[in-house]
Protein backbone atom coordinates (compact mmCIF):
# COMPACT_ATOMS: atom_id res chain seq x y z
CA UNK A 1 0.00 0.00 0.00
CA UNK A 2 1.33 3.39 -0.98
CA UNK A 3 1.57 6.00 1.69
CA UNK A 4 1.09 9.53 0.39
CA UNK A 5 4.02 11.74 1.26
CA UNK A 6 3.23 15.39 1.68
CA UNK A 7 6.33 17.48 1.39
CA UNK A 8 6.41 21.05 2.48
CA UNK A 9 7.76 22.94 -0.47
CA UNK A 10 9.64 25.91 0.83
CA UNK A 11 9.53 29.05 -1.22
CA UNK A 12 12.82 30.73 -2.08
CA UNK A 13 12.00 33.37 0.51
CA UNK A 14 11.34 30.80 3.23
CA UNK A 15 14.65 29.06 2.50
CA UNK A 16 16.57 32.32 2.87
CA UNK A 17 14.59 33.12 6.02
CA UNK A 18 15.75 29.81 7.54
CA UNK A 19 19.36 30.72 6.68
CA UNK A 20 18.94 34.12 8.33
CA UNK A 21 17.49 32.57 11.47
CA UNK A 22 20.30 30.00 11.61
CA UNK A 23 22.84 32.85 11.44
CA UNK A 24 21.06 34.72 14.25
CA UNK A 25 20.82 31.51 16.31
CA UNK A 26 24.53 30.83 15.84
CA UNK A 27 25.26 34.22 17.40
CA UNK A 28 22.57 34.02 20.07
CA UNK A 29 20.85 37.09 18.65
CA UNK A 30 17.07 37.43 19.01
CA UNK A 31 15.55 38.78 15.78
CA UNK A 32 12.42 40.91 16.06
CA UNK A 33 10.43 42.02 13.01
CA UNK A 34 8.72 45.31 13.83
CA UNK A 35 5.71 46.03 11.63
CA UNK A 36 3.30 48.96 11.49
CA UNK A 37 1.76 51.56 9.23
CA UNK A 38 3.75 54.72 8.36
CA UNK A 39 3.89 57.13 11.30
CA UNK A 40 2.88 54.60 13.97
CA UNK A 41 6.17 55.22 15.79
CA UNK A 42 8.48 52.37 14.74
CA UNK A 43 11.66 54.44 14.69
CA UNK A 44 10.64 56.27 17.88
CA UNK A 45 10.13 52.87 19.54
CA UNK A 46 13.62 51.78 18.52
CA UNK A 47 15.07 55.05 19.87
CA UNK A 48 13.17 54.68 23.14
CA UNK A 49 14.27 51.04 23.38
CA UNK A 50 17.92 51.98 22.94
CA UNK A 51 17.66 54.60 25.69
CA UNK A 52 15.78 52.32 28.10
CA UNK A 53 17.90 49.23 27.46
CA UNK A 54 21.25 51.01 27.71
CA UNK A 55 23.79 48.65 29.23
CA UNK A 56 21.32 45.75 29.69
CA UNK A 57 21.16 44.22 26.20
CA UNK A 58 23.38 44.85 23.18
CA UNK A 59 21.18 46.07 20.39
CA UNK A 60 21.50 46.41 16.62
CA UNK A 61 18.96 47.63 14.09
CA UNK A 62 18.03 47.28 10.45
CA UNK A 63 15.75 49.95 9.03
CA UNK A 64 13.73 49.25 5.92
CA UNK A 65 12.46 52.16 3.87
CA UNK A 66 11.35 52.88 0.33
CA UNK A 67 13.91 55.70 0.09
CA UNK A 68 16.32 57.71 2.30
CA UNK A 69 18.39 56.64 5.28
CA UNK A 70 16.61 58.99 7.70
CA UNK A 71 15.55 56.24 10.10
CA UNK A 72 18.89 54.43 10.25
CA UNK A 73 20.58 57.82 10.77
CA UNK A 74 18.30 58.51 13.75
CA UNK A 75 19.02 55.07 15.22
CA UNK A 76 22.79 55.24 14.59
CA UNK A 77 22.87 58.67 16.27
CA UNK A 78 21.87 56.84 19.49
CA UNK A 79 25.13 54.90 19.29
CA UNK A 80 24.07 51.43 18.17
CA UNK A 81 25.02 49.63 14.94
CA UNK A 82 22.37 50.31 12.30
CA UNK A 83 21.98 49.37 8.65
CA UNK A 84 19.56 50.93 6.20
CA UNK A 85 17.85 48.83 3.54
CA UNK A 86 16.40 50.91 0.74
CA UNK A 87 13.81 48.81 -1.04
CA UNK A 88 13.83 51.08 -4.11
CA UNK A 89 10.08 51.52 -4.01
CA UNK A 90 9.30 48.04 -2.68
CA UNK A 91 6.59 48.07 -0.01
CA UNK A 92 7.99 45.35 2.30
CA UNK A 93 11.24 43.69 3.38
CA UNK A 94 12.02 40.14 2.29
CA UNK A 95 14.48 37.51 3.50
CA UNK A 96 16.98 38.25 0.73
CA UNK A 97 17.18 41.92 1.74
CA UNK A 98 17.80 40.93 5.34
CA UNK A 99 20.43 38.42 4.26
CA UNK A 100 22.33 41.17 2.44
CA UNK A 101 22.18 43.49 5.47
CA UNK A 102 23.19 41.03 8.22
CA UNK A 103 26.93 40.93 7.34
CA UNK A 104 27.12 44.67 8.05
CA UNK A 105 26.16 44.15 11.69
CA UNK A 106 28.48 42.95 14.51
CA UNK A 107 26.29 39.94 15.36
CA UNK A 108 28.91 38.53 17.74
CA UNK A 109 28.51 41.68 19.87
CA UNK A 110 24.71 41.73 19.87
CA UNK A 111 21.86 40.19 21.88
CA UNK A 112 18.94 41.69 20.03
CA UNK A 113 18.22 42.76 16.45
CA UNK A 114 15.28 45.07 15.83
CA UNK A 115 14.21 45.09 12.19
CA UNK A 116 12.02 48.05 11.25
CA UNK A 117 9.92 46.88 8.32
CA UNK A 118 8.55 49.23 5.66
CA UNK A 119 5.52 51.14 6.96
CA UNK A 120 2.62 49.13 5.56
CA UNK A 121 -0.14 47.03 7.15
CA UNK A 122 -0.48 44.55 4.31
CA UNK A 123 2.38 42.62 2.67
CA UNK A 124 5.18 42.82 5.31
CA UNK A 125 3.21 40.13 7.16
CA UNK A 126 3.48 37.81 4.12
CA UNK A 127 7.29 37.67 4.11
CA UNK A 128 9.20 35.75 6.73
CA UNK A 129 12.60 37.41 7.23
CA UNK A 130 14.01 34.76 9.55
CA UNK A 131 12.96 36.69 12.65
CA UNK A 132 12.19 34.84 15.88
CA UNK A 133 9.31 37.11 16.81
CA UNK A 134 6.98 39.64 15.27
CA UNK A 135 5.91 42.80 17.00
CA UNK A 136 3.02 44.88 15.74
CA UNK A 137 2.84 48.55 16.59
CA UNK A 138 -0.57 50.24 16.32
CA UNK A 139 -0.99 53.86 17.34
CA UNK A 140 -4.26 55.07 18.81
CA UNK A 141 -4.48 57.79 16.13
CA UNK A 142 -5.00 55.09 13.49
CA UNK A 143 -8.32 53.76 14.81
CA UNK A 144 -9.34 50.59 16.63
CA UNK A 145 -10.75 49.01 13.46
CA UNK A 146 -7.28 48.19 12.08
CA UNK A 147 -6.96 44.65 13.52
CA UNK A 148 -10.24 43.71 11.81
CA UNK A 149 -9.26 45.38 8.51
CA UNK A 150 -5.69 44.00 8.31
CA UNK A 151 -6.02 40.64 10.05
CA UNK A 152 -2.90 38.83 8.79
CA UNK A 153 -0.43 41.18 10.48
CA UNK A 154 -2.25 40.93 13.80
CA UNK A 155 -2.74 37.18 13.49
CA UNK A 156 0.99 36.54 13.00
CA UNK A 157 2.36 38.91 15.65
CA UNK A 158 3.55 37.73 19.06
CA UNK A 159 3.07 41.12 20.66
CA UNK A 160 0.80 44.07 19.96
CA UNK A 161 1.98 47.44 21.22
CA UNK A 162 -0.70 50.15 21.36
CA UNK A 163 1.39 53.30 20.95
CA UNK A 164 0.70 57.03 21.54
CA UNK A 165 -1.48 56.04 24.50
CA UNK A 166 -0.87 59.58 25.85
CA UNK A 167 -3.14 60.83 23.03
CA UNK A 168 -6.03 58.56 24.00
CA UNK A 169 -8.17 61.39 25.41
CA UNK A 170 -8.02 63.16 22.03
CA UNK A 171 -8.98 60.11 19.96
CA UNK A 172 -12.04 57.90 19.66
CA UNK A 173 -9.83 54.83 19.92
CA UNK A 174 -11.52 52.00 21.82
CA UNK A 175 -8.70 50.09 23.57
CA UNK A 176 -11.01 47.27 24.69
CA UNK A 177 -12.37 46.78 21.16
CA UNK A 178 -8.90 46.80 19.53
CA UNK A 179 -7.59 44.37 22.16
CA UNK A 180 -10.57 42.04 21.82
CA UNK A 181 -10.29 41.91 18.01
CA UNK A 182 -6.54 41.32 18.15
CA UNK A 183 -6.99 38.52 20.72
CA UNK A 184 -9.76 36.97 18.59
CA UNK A 185 -7.31 36.81 15.68
CA UNK A 186 -4.47 35.55 17.85
CA UNK A 187 -5.33 34.39 21.38
CA UNK A 188 -1.64 34.02 22.30
CA UNK A 189 -0.86 37.63 21.50
CA UNK A 190 0.27 39.87 24.35
CA UNK A 191 -1.09 43.44 24.24
CA UNK A 192 0.74 46.32 25.93
CA UNK A 193 -0.08 50.03 26.04
CA UNK A 194 2.87 52.36 25.56
CA UNK A 195 3.87 55.90 24.71
CA UNK A 196 7.28 56.39 23.14
CA UNK A 197 6.88 60.13 23.78
CA UNK A 198 6.20 59.99 27.54
CA UNK A 199 7.84 56.63 28.23
CA UNK A 200 4.64 55.15 29.67
CA UNK A 201 4.55 51.35 29.47
CA UNK A 202 8.08 51.01 28.10
CA UNK A 203 9.23 49.05 31.17
CA UNK A 204 6.76 46.28 30.29
CA UNK A 205 8.01 46.23 26.68
CA UNK A 206 11.62 45.99 27.83
CA UNK A 207 10.75 43.23 30.33
CA UNK A 208 9.03 41.32 27.49
CA UNK A 209 12.15 41.67 25.30
CA UNK A 210 14.51 40.61 28.08
CA UNK A 211 12.37 37.54 28.82
CA UNK A 212 12.38 36.55 25.12
CA UNK A 213 16.18 36.96 24.88
CA UNK A 214 16.57 34.80 28.01
CA UNK A 215 14.28 32.15 26.43
CA UNK A 216 16.36 32.06 23.25
CA UNK A 217 19.52 31.54 25.30
CA UNK A 218 17.98 28.59 27.14
CA UNK A 219 17.28 26.75 23.87
MG1 LIG B 1 10.50 54.80 10.68
ZN1 LIG C 1 4.90 44.80 -0.32
Amino acid sequence: MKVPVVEKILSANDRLALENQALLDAHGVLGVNLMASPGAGKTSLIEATIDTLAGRLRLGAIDGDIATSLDADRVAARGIPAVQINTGGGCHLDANMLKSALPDLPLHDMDLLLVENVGNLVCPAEFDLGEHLRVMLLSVTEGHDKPAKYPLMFRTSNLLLLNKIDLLTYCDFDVAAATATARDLNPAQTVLQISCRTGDGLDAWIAWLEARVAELRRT
Side-chain angles (χ1 to χ4, degrees), residues 36-182:
S37 60
K42 295 182 294 304
T43 314
S44 298
L45 177 67
I46 295 175
E47 289 176 321
T49 304
I50 296 166
D51 294 348
T52 316
L53 262 180
R56 287 155 73 182
L57 290 177
R58 298 165 300 168
L59 195 60
I62 292 175
D63 288 272
D65 259 309
I66 288 176
T68 83
S69 63
L70 290 172
D71 286 356
D73 293 345
R74 277 172 61 183
V75 170
R78 288 288 213 280
I80 70 156
V83 180
Q84 182 77 43
I85 296 175
N86 279 329
T87 62
C91 47
H92 58 265
L93 293 180
D94 64 30
N96 192 43
M97 295 177 197
L98 199 78
K99 183 181 161 70
S100 60
L102 286 173
D104 291 326
L105 286 171
L107 294 177
H108 46 277
D109 285 327
M110 286 168 50
D111 305 302
L112 175 65
L113 169 65
L114 293 179
V115 181
E116 178 179 345
N117 216 309
V118 177
N120 176 352
L121 287 180
V122 188
C123 43
E126 294 164 22
F127 291 84
D128 195 355
L129 306 178
E131 72 272 19
H132 296 96
L133 297 164
R134 290 183 167 188
V135 172
M136 173 75 211
L137 189 62
L138 174 67
S139 64
V140 301
T141 54
E142 295 171 72
H144 53 259
D145 56 350
K146 294 303 171 290
K149 292 175 80 170
Y150 302 94
L152 182 65
M153 192 159 280
F154 292 88
R155 190 177 289 132
T156 64
S157 290
N158 304 88
L159 173 69
L160 170 59
L161 295 174
L162 297 177
N163 190 28
K164 308 188 187 179
I165 208 73
D166 52 310
L167 300 181
L168 201 54
T169 50
Y170 307 103
C171 304
D172 294 326
F173 190 94
D174 185 333
V175 171
T179 304
T181 313

